Amino acid sequence: MSKCPYSSELIVDLNTEIMTLLEDVQAYMKNRQSVDFQELAVEDRMTMLKARSALTLQLTSMAAWGLYQAALLAEDEIPDGLRPDEVPDTLAGLDSASLPPLPEIFRGFLTRSDHLFRKVTSLQAAA
Amino acid sequence: MTQQTVRQELRRGRDRLVVRVVAIVMVATILPLAFMAVLTDHMATEALMAARVDGLRQSSVDGVNHVQSFFDGLRWDGQVLSRIGGMADYVGAVHVPGKSVSNAIDHMAEEANGLLISRRVYETFALLDADGKEQLRLLYHEGMVERVAEKSLKLHPALGRNSWQRQANAPLVADVDFDATGRAGPNLVLLVPITEPSGQRLGTLLLSLEPGVLDQLLDTASESGQVAVLLSDNQGSVVSGWLPEGQRRPKDLSESFNDHWQSLLTREETVFESLSGFAAVSSPIAWDRLDGDVWHIIALIPTKAVMAPVGKLNRTIILLAAVTLLLSLLVGLVMSRRLLIDPLGDLLAVIRRFRDGDLSVRSPPHSGELGELTASFNEMAETLDLNNRTLETMVADRTQALEREVAERRVAQTILIDAIESMQDAFMVYDAESKLVLANSLARRFAPPGMASRMKLGMPMEEFFRGLAQTGHITSSLGREDEWVAERCDSHRTRNFDIEERLEDGRWLNIRGWRTPEGACVFVCSDITERKRSQRDLQISERRFRDLFDNMQDSALILRAEAAGDGFRITDLNHAAQVLERVDRDAVIGKSLDEVFPALRRLGTVEALSRVWREHRPERLSTYFYDDLRAPGWRDTFLFPLSTGEVVAIYRDVSAECQAEEALLRSEERYRILVETMSEGLIVTDPEMVIAYVNDRFTQLAGRSQNELVGRRLDEAFSPESRDLLLKGRDRSQLGADGPFEASLDAGEGRVVEVLVSPAPFHDTNGTLVGQMSVVTDITPLKQAQTALKDSESRFRSIFQGAPFGMVLIDGDGCLAEANRAFKTILDGNLSQGLKGLPLADLGMTQLLAALSGPGARSWEGKVQLPDGRSVWLQAHAAMVGDLLAGRSGLIATIEDVSRRKELEERMAHSSKLMLLGEMSAGLAHEITQPLNIIRLTSEATLARMDSGAGDVTMEESYGKLKIINDQADRLFDVIDYMQAFSRRESEKREPFDLFVSVKAAVALVSESFRQRKIAIQCEVSSGPCVLLGHARQLEQVVLNLLTNARDAITDLHGADGGRITVTARSENDGKQAILTVEDQGKGIPEADLQRIFEPFFSTKGPGKGTGLGLSISLGIVSGLGGTMRAEKGEEGGARFVVEMPMPAMADVPCAPEQGEPAEILVEIPPAEAKNFHIMLVEDEELAAEEMADYLTRAGYRVTLHFGGQDALAAFPNDPADLVVTDLNMPDGDGRMLIDGLLEDYPYLPIIVVTGRPNTRSGELEDLAAGSDVILRKPIRLRELGGHIKRLLA
C-alpha cells in the first residue's frame, strides 16, 4: 500500500474546502438555481447545465481523491478498485470567456472549483 | 566510729549542756514576766467585753424597734387599710336602714377572703353589727379560708364594747378565742368601724393576727441569741419572756423581775445587781391591751457569761513573781558550776589530746549527761583507732593496682600510635594551646615541600598554617595569606569543622577537625582528589541529563511510588510537561499525582503506573483524552521503570493528530451525505463500464433501485439510441477527451428521461484507467422548454411584423435589436437598412429611451427630430423583456407617430384660447379704457391750462401730471403685454410660476365681465407662493375655461339673476401638492356625464355654445403638469372641478432668468462722467428717437442719431461710437443686419436692442438680438436705458 505523501492537516483543510464548496453548490441548486435559470435564455440554460454538471463532477472527483488520501493517511484498508491518484479536469472544456452571462454566484463556484483543482494538481506535482 | 563522728558527738553534747544552762536561766526570768502578761491580757479582755455589751445592747434595741415597727406597720398598712376602708365604705353605701347587711357582708366576705389569703399574716376576719354582735367570721387555717357560722361565734365581750370607743385601725392585744377551741391567748386585733355617710355606725370589722406571730416577733427581738426579751403588764408582772439558749422561763423571771420593775425603768445598775447575769437593759416599748391595760416589751442583755468581774491588779502577786525570779537565777548558777562546767573542762582536755594524734587516750567516766558524753567519746576514740589501721592496709593495695593500670595504658598508647601511623588520612592533634602534640607521617606528605621537615611536636598551629599560606600550597590562601591564617586558626580553635581545600598541584584535601573536652584539636586530613573528580563527572552527567530532560520535545514526569504503589508522588518533570500541563515545576514537585492530575486515576493511568512499578516492565498506554480543565487534550503515553525505583512517564499531546483524524472521518460523512442527497445523479463504474455505485438521484431518474443497477453495465440503463453515445463517451474518457453529452435514460414503462452525462475517468499512477465517475443531469424540462420556445418565437415574430404600429426591441445598451415594418415607415424608409444595433440616440430618441427605461410607467409622448430633419410627435409604450433578447434584459416598445393628432390638438387649444380671449374682451376693454381715460383727462386738462396762457402751471404741477400719465401708460402696457402673452403659442420650455398669481390674474381678467352679469367670483387663495413648473398662461387658460363653464352654468340656471363662483387655491401635504377648485351654483353635471365631460367635443351646452374642447384641453394642460383633474357634485348642487398638481421640490426649480440690475439702472448718470462717451442711436421712429437722444444728451453723452441700419453702419467707421442703441425693425436696414455688421469689425462693441416685438416664443427674440448685450422691449423707460448704458460703459 502506498503512503500518503501529504500531511494530515493539509488533507483535512483541503477536504473541508472541497466539501464546503460542494455543499454550497448543492445548496445553490436546491434554493436559488431555479430563479436564476428563468432569467437565462433557453439556449444558455443548456450551457449552464453542462457547466453545472462539469462542476459537480469535478468537485466529487476532487472529494474522492481527497478521501482516498485521507484513507491512506489513516492507514485504512482500501479495497481494490477505485484508487484515484489523479483528478480529471472536467472544467477544462469550459471557456469562461465564451460562456453566456451565467449568474454571478455560479461563476464564483466555477472560480473556486478551479482554484481547488489547481491546488490539487500542484500537490500531485509536488508529490 | 570514725574520728569525725566522735567530734560530731562531742560537739552535740557540748551544745546540749549549753542549752540546759540557758533554759534554767530563762525559766527563772520568764515566769514573772508571764504573770504580768496575764494581767495585761485580762484588762484587754474586759475592754473587749464592754464593747460587746454595747453591741448587744444595740442589737436588743434594734430587735425591740423591729417589733415596734411591725405593729406600726400593721397599724398603718396602706393596702390593708385601703382594702378594709373600701369595704367599710361599700357596706355603708349599700346599707338600707332596717334591713340586714347580709348582702354587704357577703361582698365583704369575698374581699376578706382574698385579703386573708394574700396577706397570710391575719388569722381571723370578723364582722360585727351595730350591737357588737358578730355576724361573720372567716378563719385562715393552713392555707385555707374557712367561714364560720355566726351562731357559733364567741367574742370577747370587751371587744364589742371597746370597739366603739377605740380609735379606728388601732391595734389591740386581747385574749381572744378566735378559733373557738376554748383556748384564749394574747393576740393582736385590728378594729375598723363601719359607718354610713351620715356618720351613723353600722358595725365593725375585726382582724386578728395569728397567735404565733407575736412569738415570732419576740424571737426576732432576741435574734442575737443572747438577749432576754420580756413581756410584762402595766403592773410589772412578767406575762411572757424569752431567754437566751431558747429557754422560756417566764415564771422564774417574774419573781425576781416584778420586784424591781420600777427600778428597772429608772436604775439599771440596780437591776444588774438584782438580776445576776443580766448586765444591761434596752429601752422598753409598750402597747395597749383591749382591756385598757398596757403591755411592755423589755430587752435584757446577759453579761454573766461574757464578762466576769476582774477586780483590781494584785500587787502581792507581782512582788512574789520578782522574788521567784531572783532565786531562780541564783540556784541556776550554782548548779551549773558543780554539775556541768568542771567535768566539761576535763573532757575537753582529753579531746584535745585525741585530736593531736593520741588515739589511745580515753576519758574517765562521769555521771549524768556528762557521763553519757564521756562514754560516747571513749567509744568514738576506740572506733577511730580501729579505722586508722584498716585504712593503711587499703592504701597499700590501691598503689599496686595503679601501677598495673599505667603499664596497660602504655601498651594501648603504643597500639594507638601504630594505628594512627597506619591511617590512610593525615592525623594531627594540637593541644589546648594550639601546639602540635601528635602527627602521623602522612600528615607531612600533605604539607608543602620544606614544611614537612618543620612539622615537629610543639609546633604552633599558626606557624603550620602560615607555612602553608606562604608556600601557596593551599590555593584559597593566595593573595590573602594573613587573613587566611587568621580565619583558619580561629576556626580550628573554636569549633568543629569540615572543609575542602584545593592544593596547588591540583589535589583536593578534606580537612575535618573537632575539639576535645580538654581543648585539644584533632585534625584528620584526607586526599579527596578522586572523589572530587567523580563528583565533577557526576555533576556533568547530571547536567547533561537535565539538559536532555528539559529540552526533550515530549513531556516527562518522574514519579515515586508510595503506599505500596497505590499512589505516586511527583519527583521531577521537564519543561515540556510544564508547558503542556500549565503547571509550575516548583509548585508540583513533591505533590501527589492525584492532587496535580486528578483525572489520571479515572483514566486508568495510575493503575498502569502501579503495574509498571510492581512488574518493572515498560508499558505503552492507549491514546486517551485527558479532560482536566487546565490542559485537556489527547495524550500518547509511555511508562517505564527507573533503577532508582521511580517510574517515568513520557507522553505527548496528540490532540492535533486526533482532531485531524476526526476531521477526516467527518469529511467522509459529509461526502457520503452530499453524494446521497445531491441534485444530480452520480454513477461510478469500473473500467468495464459495470456500475459500482449509483446515488439516490440516479435511481430516481432511472426509475430503478440500486440493487437493479449496481453490477450491470452502464449502457443497459440507457435507451438503445444512447448506448452508442455512451460507448463513444467511454472511448473519449479513456482518451482523456471526456466531456458532457446528451443521452436518453430508459426510465421504464416507456418513459424516457433526457439527461446530460458528464463522465470523468480515474487513472492510477501508471495512467491505467481504474474507473469512471459520471454526473447525470436531468435536462428533460429544458428540452421541453426549448421546443416551446421555438413555437412561441414563431408566433411572436408573426405578430411583431404584422402590427399596424411601430414595434421595436431595444437591448440593454439602448440599441435597436429588432424593428417592424411600421416603425420603418415612421422613419420614412430611408434608414430602414441596417437598423439592427443602431442606438436610439442616433434616431433623436434619447428622451424617449430615457422615459421608457426609467422607473414607473414606461410611456412617453413627445416631439422627436429625426435624422432627416423632420420633427414628429411620437407616443411610445414599453415593457421589459428578457428571453426575447437572448436572455438579456431589454425593452419591447410600441412607437406611434401622433404628429397629426398633436397638431390638431394644438390648433384647437389655441383656438380655444383665442375664444377665451374673446370671452374676456369686455373685461379687457375695461382694463384698457380706464388708464386711457385717465391719460386723456390729465393731458387735456394740462394742455388746456397751458393753452389758456395763464402761465400758472408750475414745474411741480407739470411733473405730477406727467407722472400720472406715465403710471397709467405703464398700466396700459401691462394689459397689452398680458394679452400678447396669452394669445401667443407657448414654448415647450417649462418655467417656474406661482399658481396663486396665475389664479388671481385669470380671475382679474373676467371678474369685470362677470360682474356685469351679476356673477360674483369669490376667490380664496392662500398666502405665499405656490410654485409649479410649466406655463403660467396655460394654467390661466385652465382657470378661464373653468370660470367660463361656471358662468354658463349659472346663467343657464339663474338667467339674469346671476350667482356666485367660488375659486380656491392652496398647497397641501407640506408643500408637495397644489389644489385648485372651481365651484358654481349651476345645476351641476349629471352623473352619467361625469366620465365623459373631458372627452374632446363633448359638451352639455346647447348648439353653438362652445366647442366641447375646453375641458379636454384643460385636462391635457393639467396632465402636462403631472396633475389630475376631476368633476364632482358641489355642496350647493352645482359642479365642482378639482385640479391636483404636484409641486416640484425647490431644488428642482430653476432660477428665474435675470432681469437686470434695477439698483444700477435707476441711478442718474453724472454729466461729468458721461461727456467722454459717444453713443450711436438708431431708431426709425423719429419722435421716440429724438426723446431718447434728448435724454441721453442731457445726461452728458455725445449722441449721434440715425434712422436706419444702413445709414448707421456706413457712418460708424467714420465716427465710431462707444455704444450703440438700435431698434430691430427698421425699413432702411434692420437691426439684425446692423448688429452683424458692427460685431464683425468691433466684436466687443456694447449694443442695446430696443424693440417693440413681442416675446412670442421663448428664445425667438434672443435669436433676433443675438450679439447684443441688453434687450429692452418697448415701451422703454428712459431711466432704465440710462442705467444699462452706464453699466455697459463702466
Side-chain angles (χ1 to χ4, degrees), chain B residues 296-309:
Chain B
H296 298 268
I297 297 175
I298 303 165
L300 298 176
I301 310 300
T303 58
K304 187 176 181 179
V306 296
M307 191 176 86

Side-chain angles (χ1 to χ4, degrees), chain B residues 1014-1016 1046-1047 1049-1051 1053-1054 1057-1062 1079-1084 1132-1135:
Chain B
K1014 295 184 180 180
I1015 295 173
R1047 180 202 63 192
I1050 291 172
T1051 304
L1053 186 61
H1054 303 289
D1057 294 338
R1060 187 182 70 252
I1061 301 173
T1062 303
E1079 183 175 352
D1080 59 48
Q1081 292 179 317
K1083 60 180 181 181
E1132 296 180 79

Side-chain angles (χ1 to χ4, degrees), chain B residues 864-916:
Chain B
V864 172
Q865 187 168 17
L866 298 174
D868 60 359
R870 288 184 300 120
S871 291
V872 293
W873 278 89
L874 297 179
Q875 187 182 54
H877 303 280
M880 286 289 295
V881 292
D883 291 347
L884 294 177
L885 289 170
R888 291 184 292 275
S889 61
L891 292 169
I892 181 169
T894 60
I895 300 175
E896 190 174 6
D897 186 357
V898 294
S899 300
R900 179 67 184 159
R901 175 169 64 81
K902 291 297 292 184
E903 185 181 359
L904 192 60
E905 286 178 0
E906 197 170 336
R907 280 186 195 169
M908 291 177 67
H910 191 64
S911 299
S912 175
K913 193 189 292 185
L914 293 179
M915 287 177 65
L916 270 177

Side-chain angles (χ1 to χ4, degrees), chain B residues 628-691:
Chain B
D628 186 354
L629 289 177
R630 187 176 53 228
W634 290 90
R635 302 281 192 274
D636 195 4
T637 307
F638 178 67
L639 306 176
F640 62 91
L642 289 179
S643 58
T644 58
E646 295 167 314
V647 178
V648 179
I650 304 290
Y651 61 98
R652 63 192 180 96
D653 184 22
V654 292
S655 299
E657 289 84 346
C658 291
Q659 286 167 2
E661 192 169 344
E662 200 173 334
L664 289 173
L665 291 174
R666 281 202 302 271
S667 293
E668 287 181 8
E669 181 64 15
R670 284 173 75 182
Y671 183 72
R672 189 186 62 76
I673 294 173
L674 275 169
V675 168
E676 289 293 337
T677 60
M678 62 195 295
S679 305
E680 290 152 315
L682 188 73
I683 315 167
V684 179
T685 57
D686 65 9
E688 301 303 322
M689 294 282 284
V690 175
I691 298 174

Side-chain angles (χ1 to χ4, degrees), chain B residues 590-607:
Chain B
K591 287 192 174 178
S592 164
L593 186 65
D594 287 325
E595 182 183 354
V596 181
F597 304 106
L600 287 179
R601 185 171 288 278
R602 178 168 45 80
L603 295 169
T605 307
V606 176
E607 189 181 348

Side-chain angles (χ1 to χ4, degrees), chain B residues 156 437 487 526 560 591 645 656 666 739 753 825 832 942 1088 1180 1193 1266:
Chain B
H156 194 285
V437 294
E487 283 177 4
S526 310
R560 188 180 69 248
K591 287 192 174 178
R666 281 202 302 271
V753 177
T825 303
S832 59
T942 305
D1180 60 339
T1193 302

